[in-house]
């Protein structure tokens, strides 16, 4: 728990990372940043998908539309938060000369997106629209 609190503090004050270990090769720090940006792009795509489901599929039943939309928005929010946390954890590990931290988040993200995709396929196949 203490590490998590320290990680969150580093989200807003990354200069404090300089106090830990030694400066890694800049190429690794830049690669870590590119990975962070890829996670952020994924989060933005999920958020955009959540809004698209809500705005552009008005014929879906309200509960189905809102459920799929909220699922995409929630996964997008989780992805954005996890991106910054993972960036801090990796940067700290590189500065300390430790192994990069393992993460179960890619599996959780894949499952979340997969479940929403299956739900959307069911909606497409069954045609859950208003008035039917």
């Amino acid at each position: 728990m203490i590490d998590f609190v320290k990680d969150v503090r580093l989200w807003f004050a990354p200069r404090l990372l300089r106090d830990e270990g030694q400066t890694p090769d800049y190429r690794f720090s830049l690669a870590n940043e590119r990975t962070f940006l890829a996670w952020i792009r994924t989060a933005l795509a999920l958020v955009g998908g959540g809004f698209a489901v809500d705005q552009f599929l008005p014929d879906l039943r309200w509960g189905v539309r809102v459920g799929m939309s909220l699922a995409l928005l929630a996964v997008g929010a989780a992805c954005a938060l996890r991106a910054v946390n993972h960036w801090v954890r990796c940067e700290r590990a590189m500065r300390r000369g430790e192994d990069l931290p393992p993460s179960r988040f890619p599996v959780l993200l894949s499952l979340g997106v997969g479940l929403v995709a299956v739900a959307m396929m069911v909606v497409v196949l069954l045609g859950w629209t208003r008035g039917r």
Side-chain angles (χ1 to χ4, degrees), residues 24-35 87 91 94:
D25 184 330
Y26 289 107
R27 292 174 292 178
F28 299 124
S29 289
L30 293 173
N32 189 31
E33 186 175 331
R34 285 189 301 273
T35 301
W87 174 81
E91 197 66 27
M94 287 188 297

Side-chain angles (χ1 to χ4, degrees), residues 9-90:
R9 195 176 79 227
L10 291 174
W11 293 7
F12 301 101
R15 68 184 177 282
L16 295 176
L17 278 171
R18 292 181 183 156
D19 297 338
E20 301 210 21
Q22 298 178 356
T23 302
D25 184 330
Y26 289 107
R27 292 174 292 178
F28 299 124
S29 289
L30 293 173
N32 189 31
E33 186 175 331
R34 285 189 301 273
T35 301
F36 165 77
L37 293 172
W39 283 103
I40 292 297
R41 284 190 302 273
T42 301
L44 286 170
L46 289 164
V47 168
F51 279 118
V53 166
D54 185 54
Q55 294 298 309
F56 298 116
L57 299 175
D59 290 336
L60 283 180
R61 287 187 184 164
W62 181 85
V64 173
R65 187 181 80 239
V66 169
M68 287 191 304
S69 179
L70 288 176
L72 286 168
L73 291 168
V75 173
C79 189
L81 293 173
R82 182 62 180 144
V84 69
N85 188 52
H86 188 71
W87 174 81
V88 165
R89 291 174 63 218
C90 287

